[in-house]
Amino acid sequence: MGFISTAHTITVTTKLTKVGRERLLTNNNNIFSHFILGDSDANYRTSAFLPTGKVPAASGDLGQDNILKGLIKSKIYVRDNMSTRKPVEPNSSTVTTSIDTIGEMIVTGNSLNYVTLSKSASTVDFTNLFSSLSLPIINSKIAVFGKTAQFGGWLDTAFSNFSASTVLLASINTDQYGEVIDGKNIRLTLPIITGYTGGGSATGSTTYDIFSTFPSTTIPRSNLDEQYTDKSTLPTSLFGKNISVAYLVTNSIQRPNNDPLKSWATGYNTFKPFSLNNKSLINVNTIPTNNVNADIVVGIAYLEQGFLVLTDSNIVDNIAIDFTGDTESGIVTDTLGFYHYTGDTYGATINSIDNNIVQNVVCMAARDQYYRTQNRTKGLNDEIRISEIAITTASGEILALGKFDRQVIKKKNDLLVLDVQIVV
């Protein structure tokens, strides 16, 4: 019959080649003008085709989403004129952002390093980091934290200890997270000394479980479920600029709303933690008429830099290091002055994400197209098995290459529409 027997719309993700990356630096994205289809994975001497999960990859997924070389060994002809290259559909190019979840990582050992910072250490290089962290250094900024909220300060709020003169910085190695850490789902465990002798020697220790969360604002809980950083105006008010942060809290110092029946652990690492699983938000101020008590924030999570900064003196002044009563508190100090715990008991559990900029183009394999191939194993009646696509310039330079998750059968009368995503 004269009708198209079937139609497919398939989404395929491609990765830039080395040439593609170089050309993007010197051109605009209009260079993604043509495409080539290939069947290099097809051996037409077998009747079976490769299903999902059995098509060889073009490259690994760890690190940058790129390919060193782009190569299609066996190209499929557009028609009988021996051309293998066809323009992408006109006006089909769009640019979007997609979010990839990296997944949970448990960070311990020398991937999680600590150092104590002191504003009074005027000859120590680490003191520079107070500026990196946007913590108050000059007297006028510090003074704001000595005023109550009534007078424009933070003294009686959840953030009163952000002006601390000494803080403990935990640094997560950059190979442990993606572009940004998820501020909803951080858990940090630390050994804390619980008592001392008259001479100052530690007599006991305990473990603090420290969690991250966001402040209670006008942002709906359902929206907070989808956020990775504090999107309220508080970061600008606290730090002078809109940085990517979340806030650290622990039951060991104060439970949510100072309520013994509540826990900061509730909703941790769950789906829709705020709207469905009752994860607590931080009460910034005390409102007696509403039975709202200001919470105590013990630190800040810098979600892009990978820093967890403890500002509460109960933690900073009592962190356990080489305590004889806890072998897991043994430390090793490196040449830079950072230390890490030798055991795996104390560490951080994090999730992180990457933001990908994606250019979409539509490629169409129409009726009476793509039924002949360079693949010499193909017989006269074999149906084409497509498994790869290259995005090229008008002259044929391969800029991006993608593999299908399976071999796609293309009959002569089929219409195949490809929504091609180019990760740039």
Side-chain angles (χ1 to χ4, degrees), residues 14-162:
T14 63
K15 300 180 180 181
L16 289 176
T17 63
K18 182 175 181 290
V19 171
R21 299 197 300 276
E22 292 170 349
R23 291 294 299 273
L24 267 184
L25 293 175
T26 57
N27 296 269
N28 59 38
N29 59 0
N30 292 328
I31 57 176
F32 302 120
S33 61
H34 290 67
F35 72 97
I36 296 170
L37 297 178
D39 62 349
S40 305
D41 300 302
N43 178 2
Y44 292 98
R45 291 173 181 170
T46 175
S47 61
F49 54 87
L50 293 173
T52 296
K54 291 190 176 181
V55 174
S59 72
D61 290 328
L62 197 62
Q64 292 186 348
D65 260 348
N66 299 138
I67 295 172
L68 180 61
K69 295 181 179 179
L71 178 66
I72 292 183
K73 294 187 299 180
S74 174
K75 301 173 184 176
I76 305 170
Y77 298 113
V78 180
R79 292 186 184 274
D80 290 332
N81 61 2
M82 307 303 289
S83 174
T84 59
R85 196 165 59 252
K86 182 184 178 183
V88 302
E89 292 303 295
N91 303 315
S92 68
S93 177
T94 59
V95 177
T96 58
T97 301
S98 67
I99 295 176
D100 286 343
T101 301
I102 305 300
E104 183 177 275
M105 294 286 289
I106 299 174
V107 188
T108 59
N110 61 5
S111 291
L112 182 62
N113 294 283
Y114 299 87
V115 66
T116 299
L117 312 179
S118 174
K119 291 178 185 176
S120 62
S122 58
T123 61
V124 176
D125 51 5
F126 280 125
T127 310
N128 287 287
L129 296 180
F130 280 100
S131 181
S132 305
L133 301 170
S134 299
L135 292 175
I137 304 171
I138 62 175
N139 290 336
S140 61
K141 297 293 184 181
I142 294 173
V144 175
F145 287 84
K147 300 177 183 178
T148 61
Q150 180 183 359
F151 298 101
W154 301 100
L155 181 61
D156 54 350
T157 73
F159 309 112
S160 60
N161 58 40
F162 282 9

Side-chain angles (χ1 to χ4, degrees), residues 97 107 121 183 193 200 205 228 238 249 261 315:
T97 301
V107 188
I193 298 299
S205 69
Y228 299 97
L238 287 164
V249 288
L261 300 180
I315 296 173

Side-chain angles (χ1 to χ4, degrees), residues 262-339:
K262 292 186 175 182
S263 171
W264 292 114
T266 300
Y268 166 69
N269 206 21
T270 59
F271 177 65
K272 295 188 176 182
F274 296 107
S275 64
L276 292 184
N277 288 288
N278 205 31
K279 183 175 175 67
S280 290
L281 297 168
I282 296 164
N283 296 328
V284 177
N285 302 98
T286 295
I287 308 175
T289 55
N290 294 343
N291 293 319
V292 173
N293 298 299
D295 289 308
I296 296 177
V297 172
V298 300
I300 309 150
Y302 294 81
L303 304 172
E304 294 180 72
Q305 294 91 342
F307 293 150
L308 307 177
V309 178
L310 287 308
T311 58
D312 191 285
S313 60
N314 294 290
I315 296 173
V316 178
D317 296 344
N318 297 294
I319 188 76
I321 296 174
D322 285 330
F323 174 49
T324 56
D326 181 3
T327 57
E328 291 288 292
S329 71
I331 65 165
V332 171
T333 303
D334 65 23
T335 56
L336 295 176
F338 290 99
Y339 68 86

Side-chain angles (χ1 to χ4, degrees), residues 155-363:
L155 181 61
D156 54 350
T157 73
F159 309 112
S160 60
N161 58 40
F162 282 9
S163 64
S165 59
T166 305
V167 302
L168 176 67
L169 181 144
S171 174
I172 299 169
N173 285 5
T174 55
D175 61 2
Q176 300 294 302
Y177 67 97
E179 184 175 333
V180 63
I181 295 171
D182 183 356
K184 302 185 296 292
N185 288 310
I186 301 170
R187 180 186 180 189
L188 175 68
T189 55
L190 287 175
I192 303 296
I193 298 299
T194 56
Y196 299 88
T197 64
S201 298
T203 58
S205 69
T206 189
T207 299
Y208 276 20
D209 267 337
I210 300 168
F211 297 92
S212 64
T213 189
F214 298 142
S216 177
T217 63
T218 57
I219 300 175
R221 282 179 167 264
S222 57
N223 290 11
L224 293 174
D225 288 334
E226 307 300 322
Q227 292 181 188
Y228 299 97
T229 70
D230 178 13
K231 298 290 188 181
S232 74
T233 59
L234 279 168
T236 301
S237 299
L238 287 164
F239 307 107
K241 53 186 176 181
N242 189 20
I243 58 178
S244 299
V245 294
Y247 308 100
L248 303 176
V249 288
T250 178
N251 293 333
S252 298
I253 291 179
Q254 182 175 293
R255 290 176 177 268
N257 200 41
N258 203 21
D259 185 338
L261 300 180
K262 292 186 175 182
S263 171
W264 292 114
T266 300
Y268 166 69
N269 206 21
T270 59
F271 177 65
K272 295 188 176 182
F274 296 107
S275 64
L276 292 184
N277 288 288
N278 205 31
K279 183 175 175 67
S280 290
L281 297 168
I282 296 164
N283 296 328
V284 177
N285 302 98
T286 295
I287 308 175
T289 55
N290 294 343
N291 293 319
V292 173
N293 298 299
D295 289 308
I296 296 177
V297 172
V298 300
I300 309 150
Y302 294 81
L303 304 172
E304 294 180 72
Q305 294 91 342
F307 293 150
L308 307 177
V309 178
L310 287 308
T311 58
D312 191 285
S313 60
N314 294 290
I315 296 173
V316 178
D317 296 344
N318 297 294
I319 188 76
I321 296 174
D322 285 330
F323 174 49
T324 56
D326 181 3
T327 57
E328 291 288 292
S329 71
I331 65 165
V332 171
T333 303
D334 65 23
T335 56
L336 295 176
F338 290 99
Y339 68 86
H340 66 267
Y341 288 104
T342 55
D344 292 333
T345 297
Y346 305 115
T349 304
I350 61 172
N351 286 273
S352 63
I353 63 162
D354 275 336
N355 284 296
N356 290 322
I357 305 299
V358 178
Q359 177 163 349
N360 293 70
V361 294
V362 175
C363 303

